[in-house]
């Protein structure tokens, strides 16, 4: 992998990740851009104890542009985009309309390929491996910023999810706090550790799932399963078999096997509802341990957390979406119409079809 860092016309950082070591990235951003002005602010909810990002500048962000005006495609001739070069393998750049900025953290965009009409599932194993390297590198770099406590790499795919740019891409959020969902997991891990005399909760979950009926696919280094209490109609958790707290902890074997396992998982998601359905909308989310202190989680250290990816779709059956209604949105109590065992069975049925 070759990494080349440059700056866009408004001062934002852009980084090329190339498969070839002899790639030259010297194109300049020719757009007449003013410096980006953001109004991101973190506010704490005194009742729930969680955080809300107030970012009014995002009202003006790019919204469903035509394909020939996509800001994530390479620049070509006089059609100038966020990527100055005429081609790329993987690109990461600071979001022009970030939810988090400055002392409130940082937001980045990850473009998986220059092919506007592709998806992550269309990548080769070599290309997917390069994306993994980019995620890992950004996790390392962002974790050293003074304001950053947790790094979250994720992909939203599909208009049904709320994606406003059709080009295959994901995002990275660098939060100045431990996110509420991660805090819940850490508290559960602390309670389990105390009640069992030191047993790791993530190890216990993985051991139970490996012995059960909800495993979707398994390799030497990775296992994907539908969790016992899945919140979403089709939800899969992907774990490395050797527990590590973050992407940086993966060994060479896990890195090498990941593209094959993950691409197969994404392709199965696209087969769930049959070829007549549009591509399956999904969210793919990496859960990594916070980089800050964990004193508030009694007896838990970073190494107790288990890196894993959660992949889920809001489509519950052909032509129907799972909406978060009163119980889910109002009380955070999910109601799942698809039994996890049936979801796992379906995802095994569509293997290689």
């Amino acid at each position: 992998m070759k990494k080349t860092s440059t700056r866009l016309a408004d001062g934002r950082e852009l980084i090329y990740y190339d498969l070839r070591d002899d790639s030259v990235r010297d194109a300049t951003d020719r757009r007449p851009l003013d410096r980006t002005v953001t109004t991101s602010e973190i506010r704490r909810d005194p009742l729930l104890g969680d955080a809300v990002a107030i970012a009014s500048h995002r009202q003006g962000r790019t919204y469903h542009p035509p394909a020939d005006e996509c800001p994530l495609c390479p620049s070509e001739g006089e059609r100038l985009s966020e990527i100055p070069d005429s081609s790329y393998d993987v690109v990461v750049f600071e979001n022009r309309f970030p939810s988090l900025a400055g002392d409130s953290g940082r937001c980045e965009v990850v473009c998986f390929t220059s092919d506007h009409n592709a998806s992550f599932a269309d990548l080769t194993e070599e290309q997917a491996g390069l994306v993994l390297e980019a995620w890992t590198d950004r996790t390392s770099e962002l974790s050293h910023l003074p304001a950053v406590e947790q790094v979250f790499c994720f992909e939203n795919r599909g208009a049904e999810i709320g994606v406003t740019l059709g080009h295959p891409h994901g995002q990275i959020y660098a939060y100045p706090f431990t996110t509420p969902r991660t805090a819940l997991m850490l508290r559960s891990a602390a309670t389990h550790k105390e009640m069992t005399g030191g047993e790791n909760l993530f190890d216990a979950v993985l051991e139970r799932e490996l012995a059960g009926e909800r495993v979707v696919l398994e390799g030497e280094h990775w296992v994907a399963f539908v969790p016992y209490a899945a919140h979403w109609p089709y939800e899969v958790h992907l774990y490395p078999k050797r527990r590590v707290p973050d992407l940086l902890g993966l060994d060479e074997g896990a890195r090498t096997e990941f593209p094959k396992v993950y691409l197969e998982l994404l392709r199965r998601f696209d087969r769930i509802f049959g070829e007549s359905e549009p591509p399956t909308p999904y969210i793919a989310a990496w859960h990594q341990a916070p980089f800050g202190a964990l004193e508030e989680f009694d007896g838990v250290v970073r190494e107790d957390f288990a890196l894993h990816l959660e992949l889920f779709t809001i489509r519950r059956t052909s032509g129907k979406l799972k909406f978060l209604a009163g119980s889910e949105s109002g009380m955070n109590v999910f109601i799942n119409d698809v039994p996890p065992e049936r979801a796992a069975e379906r995802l095994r049925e569509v293997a290689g079809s």
Side-chain angles (χ1 to χ4, degrees):
M1 179 192 78
K2 181 180 180 181
K3 175 184 175 183
T4 307
S5 180
T6 185
R7 292 282 172 178
L8 297 173
D10 56 6
R12 288 176 294 130
E13 185 177 19
L14 179 143
I15 306 164
Y16 294 98
Y17 293 90
D18 286 294
L19 291 168
R20 291 173 56 96
D21 289 337
D22 58 355
S23 297
V24 177
R25 300 298 183 185
D26 55 7
T28 58
D29 186 1
R30 295 182 283 130
R31 298 172 297 171
L33 297 180
D34 294 327
R35 286 275 174 174
T36 302
V37 177
T38 62
T39 57
S40 181
E41 175 189 359
I42 301 296
R43 296 186 181 181
R44 292 281 178 178
D45 186 320
L47 296 181
L48 299 179
D50 58 9
V52 178
I54 309 297
S56 60
H57 62 276
R58 283 176 55 78
Q59 284 281 38
R61 66 188 183 274
T62 308
Y63 187 80
H64 292 299
D68 60 357
E69 297 179 17
C70 175
L72 306 185
C73 288
S75 293
E76 184 175 357
E78 295 307 308
R79 191 190 67 76
L80 306 178
S81 73
E82 289 279 66
I83 296 90
D85 215 322
S86 59
S87 66
Y88 64 84
D89 291 336
V90 173
V91 166
V92 177
F93 61 88
E94 289 184 75
N95 198 323
R96 192 176 178 187
F97 304 96
S99 302
L100 309 167
D103 292 340
S104 297
R106 175 159 157 152
C107 293
E108 299 182 340
V109 177
V110 184
C111 298
F112 303 138
T113 171
S114 60
D115 185 351
H116 180 84
N117 297 312
S119 69
F120 200 116
D122 296 322
L123 301 181
T124 65
E125 290 184 19
E126 186 179 34
Q127 289 172 314
L130 183 61
V131 176
L132 177 63
E133 291 303 310
W135 283 331
T136 305
D137 180 71
R138 297 315 301 151
T139 296
S140 176
E141 293 289 328
L142 293 171
S143 71
H144 289 94
L145 296 180
V148 173
E149 188 167 313
Q150 185 173 357
V151 179
F152 176 45
C153 306
F154 65 100
E155 179 192 1
N156 300 330
R157 187 181 81 161
E160 301 93 331
I161 296 292
V163 174
T164 57
L165 296 175
H167 195 102
H169 73 288
Q171 299 182 64
I172 302 175
Y173 276 23
Y175 298 101
F177 51 80
T178 297
T179 60
R181 188 175 179 88
T182 302
L184 281 174
M185 285 190 260
L186 289 169
R187 291 190 189 101
S188 296
T191 299
H192 184 87
K193 190 173 186 178
E194 181 181 5
M195 293 180 63
T196 60
E199 183 181 63
N200 183 276
L201 175 60
F202 296 96
D203 290 351
V205 167
L206 189 57
E207 182 180 357
R208 182 177 72 173
E209 295 294 356
L210 279 167
E213 58 182 315
R214 290 179 297 274
V215 171
V216 173
L217 61 91
E218 182 179 356
E220 181 181 355
H221 301 278
W222 295 86
V223 60
F225 58 87
V226 178
Y228 170 74
H231 289 58
W232 299 93
Y234 290 91
E235 174 183 340
V236 174
H237 293 190
L238 177 63
Y239 275 68
K241 291 183 176 179
R242 183 179 70 87
R243 172 166 43 89
V244 295
D246 52 42
L247 289 166
L248 284 75
L250 293 174
D251 60 25
E252 190 59 33
R255 292 185 180 281
T256 300
E257 187 181 73
F258 171 78
K260 180 179 181 180
V261 173
Y262 187 50
L263 289 172
E264 172 61 19
L265 193 57
L266 292 179
R267 290 162 187 168
R268 291 192 193 189
F269 257 60
D270 275 340
R271 301 181 193 125
I272 295 172
F273 305 105
E275 294 183 0
S276 61
E277 287 287 323
T280 302
Y282 65 73
I283 292 176
W286 280 110
H287 292 269
Q288 306 192 79
F291 287 94
L294 302 180
E295 284 86 353
E296 63 183 290
F297 309 105
D298 296 338
V300 170
V301 296
R302 286 195 81 247
E303 289 69 27
D304 287 330
F305 192 87
L307 167 76
H308 62 283
L309 181 140
E310 295 185 8
L311 173 68
F312 62 89
T313 179
I314 62 171
R315 186 177 291 162
R316 58 187 175 87
T317 190
S318 297
K320 297 179 181 179
L321 300 180
K322 163 66 178 176
F323 292 101
L324 297 190
S327 185
E328 291 91 351
S329 295
M331 284 294 162
N332 201 30
V333 177
F334 276 67
I335 301 168
N336 190 352
D337 300 332
V338 180
E341 293 74 22
R342 174 54 191 150
E345 182 181 21
R346 178 59 183 157
L347 285 162
R348 290 193 297 267
E349 289 174 350
V350 296
S353 61

